[in-house]
Amino acid sequence: MDIEGAKSLFKENFIGEAELQPFFKAMGFERISVEYMPIQFNDAVLQEAANNDYILIYGVGSINDQNITLRYLRNIFGVNPDVSEPCLYNQDWYLKEGFMDLPLEAKWYLIKKEVYEDSRAVMPCDLTQRGLNFPPAILCGYTFFAYYFARNEYLWWHDFVWCCDTDHNGDRIYVGKYHDIDGVNKNGFSIHRHLALRPCYGSVNYL
């Protein structure tokens, strides 16, 4: 399928060169010409994805030799919603983690717009056994900001999304949940890690 066909098929869930320009502008770049790789998905996959509310987005890994990473997005959009939104949630545990500096491979991606209802409160190991492929954290962050600037819509407003990345301890990364439904935490695209049980976790008694 060519670009125009894919754009017609996915409608508002298509994010290509034109739709990426507001995102690039928000990062401080002038109009960027995107050299597309061919859409690597066949027509049947694209049709099924479009019918199941996937976003088709072109991943741009770098612009003018600047890698687009989670660290870069944090530096650009900040962590204070009182200054500007969208932004990242204010925390810093991940600043020494390698996944923060991973750029996207330049290609097309299909990513589900909403979480599967039957995946809620299910352990990630059980979800992978179902055949779900967790996206890279940078793809989620890139899509979150690109989609917002293209469509003025927040993805994963109240939901976290499991990612394929892990921290240096092997704990799985999950991201999203821009808004705290209880209103306790400030707005921000969150990056967290799911702590696995290890021998260093134990209990003491209390009387």
Side-chain angles (χ1 to χ4, degrees):
M1 186 176 297
D2 62 16
I3 302 300
E4 289 305 312
K7 187 171 185 176
S8 176
L9 179 62
F10 281 84
K11 300 179 174 60
E12 73 277 1
N13 286 339
F14 176 88
I15 304 294
E17 179 177 359
E19 293 77 15
L20 286 168
Q21 296 306 319
F23 176 42
F24 296 155
K25 184 177 180 179
M27 290 191 289
F29 297 107
E30 297 298 325
R31 181 170 182 84
I32 299 297
S33 178
V34 175
E35 295 184 8
Y36 287 133
M37 296 292 288
I39 298 177
Q40 72 271 22
F41 305 105
N42 64 41
D43 289 5
V45 169
L46 291 171
Q47 185 66 61
E48 183 176 2
N51 291 341
N52 286 280
D53 208 27
Y54 277 75
I55 295 168
L56 178 64
I57 185 168
Y58 191 75
V60 176
S62 65
I63 302 175
N64 298 338
D65 296 323
Q66 171 63 61
N67 285 340
I68 308 303
T69 64
L70 286 174
R71 187 184 307 278
Y72 182 74
L73 294 177
R74 186 182 192 273
N75 291 339
I76 291 294
F77 297 109
V79 294
N80 188 351
D82 296 329
V83 174
S84 66
E85 291 192 74
C87 62
L88 277 78
Y89 182 69
N90 190 13
Q91 53 189 347
D92 60 8
W93 66 265
Y94 47 65
L95 293 181
K96 293 183 179 181
E97 297 291 344
F99 72 88
M100 290 293 292
D101 297 308
L102 296 176
L104 285 174
E105 180 183 352
K107 66 177 186 178
W108 291 94
Y109 294 87
L110 286 167
I111 183 168
K112 193 81 164 63
K113 190 174 181 179
E114 305 286 348
V115 301
Y116 290 103
E117 289 299 320
D118 64 355
S119 72
R120 296 184 184 279
V122 179
M123 291 294 290
C125 58
D126 295 329
L127 294 174
T128 56
Q129 289 177 1
R130 296 183 189 179
L132 292 181
N133 294 317
F134 298 153
I138 178 55
L139 174 60
C140 294
Y142 176 93
T143 304
F144 173 85
F145 283 98
Y147 199 87
Y148 173 81
F149 286 107
R151 306 302 185 201
N152 195 32
E153 177 183 341
Y154 288 103
L155 297 175
W156 312 308
W157 181 245
H158 289 145
D159 292 323
F160 287 118
V161 176
W162 292 114
C163 297
C164 64
D165 306 87
T166 58
D167 70 1
H168 71 282
N169 286 320
D171 290 325
R172 186 170 298 280
I173 305 304
Y174 59 99
V175 302
K177 196 181 181 184
Y178 191 81
H179 180 71
D180 181 4
I181 194 170
D182 297 319
V184 175
N185 298 313
K186 289 186 175 182
N187 285 350
F189 181 82
S190 299
I191 304 172
H192 296 298
R193 54 187 167 184
H194 187 258
L195 300 180
L197 287 179
R198 298 187 182 87
C200 60
Y201 292 89
S203 176
V204 298
N205 195 31
Y206 161 75
L207 300 175

